Amino acid sequence: LGLCVSRASASVLNVNCCLVLLPMCRVLLAFLRGSQKVASRKTRRLLDKSKTFHVTCGVTICIFSVLHVAAHLVNALNFSENYNEDFLALNAANYRGEVSQLYLMSVLVPGLTGVIMVLVLFLMCTASTYAIRVSNYDIFWYTHNLFFVFYMLLMLHVSGGVLKYQTNLEEHPPGCFNPNKTLQENMTVPKAFEEMFPDYTTEPFPEDLSVPEPFVQNNFMRICSEEPKFQSHFPETWFWISGPLCLYCVERLYRYIRSNKPVTITSVISHPSNVLEVRMMKADFKARPGQYVILHCPRVSTLESHPFTLTMCPTDTKATFGVHLKVVGDWTERFRDLLLLHSNQDTEILPIFQQRRYPKLYVDGPFGSPFEESLNYEVSLCVAGGIGVTPFASVLNTLLDGWKCYKLRRLYFIWVCRDIESFRWFADLLCMLHDKLWQENRPDYINIQLYLSQTDGIQKIIGEKYQALNSRLLIGRPRWKLLFDEIAKCNRRKTIGVFCCGPNKISKILHKLSNSSNSYGTRFEYNKESFS
């Protein structure tokens, strides 16, 4: 039973170690997501579950690793107790009842690599918890990169050759005996068999012995012509993980080559509530609204990098792209200090020949996200919580450049913030888009609703510059059920894309309401992005 469980759990581990790498192939996912011909909308929505799929595979690997280790501890005891003197090549122990057999697996290559893999897996699993990621992301980052050590050990782990199979079944079929040896040497004769056949002898067979044909046909007794030969199984794990591992390594090499040239930082803007805006330029950089990039600054950390959603995408008329990042951890704090030290908090965009000496910054990407689909629906509902507005900022910037070329004809934009100063991040953008649509006689194209959960300092943002947002600023939290019913009533029998980037509490409410039915025949399709 222990051998069956260990082999079965090993098969499950092979499959999951193969699949866990695929969601991390970001370039492949971005290609599939951006290709309308290769992937349909339903397929692209399945790609949005790549992170969930990765976590599921990781949890499965942890569970079946425990089962695999427990089964092998049972196997170690069985190998010692069931020592076979007839087939010495099959034995893992040196003799029957060997006490050290319990520790045999730790001495051999499979056991030693297995112990180290369990330790690596334990570090990766514990450091992946939400508490560790929030309190100290560096621990999660560095321990998760131990996956390369895990896979190298896995390659060696399967090369031990503990399990073997017989290679000469025709010359030595199972259950046969060698006529040149005594029956006592090759088989055990039960006492009941001796009583039934008193003339049975155990003397060696003569050389000219011929066994009756019916006796052989019934497989009651078969003669072997040579001793059994055994050979270790070829490891199947290599077949499972070699393909995805090579694909991941090739993609990482491609990403390294693509991001090897640093970007040109054109400006750094400090916004209220510890938010920093970085505008950059890079040759031949193209991105779609809703995508994100991975920033790497060697002066902040040699190996660590972080994803940030693009809030401004390059267009045919301008090559500048930008990100907004909230200073909430060690990496962002060091990054802010380096940028503001050189920029002196000046928001002016200088010509390239006059620009200041910012630290080197490398950009990897862009990569796909669910928010790319927001422009592919006829009606979209975009809900943002705090800094979660960044994915929708690139969409709003794109609509500001021109909206007629997209399928989107109505956009509901809901933004919930705790303090009034947070709305200043994109208040100018919202006002410009509002004025543009009014000038084009399409005031109903976008429905903006701003919710303030705290009322301190509410008078500070309301001024002549932001008069367009006055009537759209509401106190409290949205009444989501009422909001969904109103949208469904105004868009009968249509499919509405729901996009959310914010706290999990809001996400769960929107997900539940999207899956609930309504009396207007309106269908809501839920999409969510999160880097946590």
Side-chain angles (χ1 to χ4, degrees), residues 329-403:
D330 296 338
W331 192 92
T332 51
E333 287 179 359
R334 295 194 298 266
F335 187 52
R336 176 199 58 187
D337 295 340
L338 283 173
L339 293 178
L340 295 184
L341 174 66
H342 292 278
S343 67
N344 198 23
Q345 298 189 4
D346 192 350
T347 61
E348 180 185 3
I349 302 177
L350 298 176
I352 294 182
F353 62 88
Q354 294 181 0
Q355 64 179 302
R356 303 175 181 87
R357 297 184 60 184
Y358 292 106
K360 286 187 177 181
L361 181 64
Y362 298 89
V363 173
D364 183 15
F367 302 106
S369 76
F371 302 111
E372 294 182 57
E373 292 293 315
S374 59
L375 297 175
N376 296 328
Y377 287 90
E378 186 177 350
V379 181
S380 291
L381 169 61
C382 298
V383 179
I387 195 60
V389 71
T390 53
F392 308 117
S394 61
V395 175
L396 298 176
N397 269 305
T398 302
L399 296 177
L400 188 62
D401 294 331
W403 55 270

Side-chain angles (χ1 to χ4, degrees), residues 202-220:
T202 60
E203 295 296 325
F205 285 85
E207 295 293 336
D208 59 346
L209 173 67
S210 59
V211 182
E213 186 68 21
F215 203 61
V216 179
Q217 289 179 356
N218 293 333
N219 292 328
F220 185 77

Side-chain angles (χ1 to χ4, degrees), residues 283-302:
D284 300 326
F285 182 85
K286 297 180 180 179
R288 297 186 298 270
Q291 291 187 322
Y292 69 94
V293 294
I294 297 178
L295 300 185
H296 173 60
C297 183
R299 290 188 58 183
V300 176
S301 176
T302 306

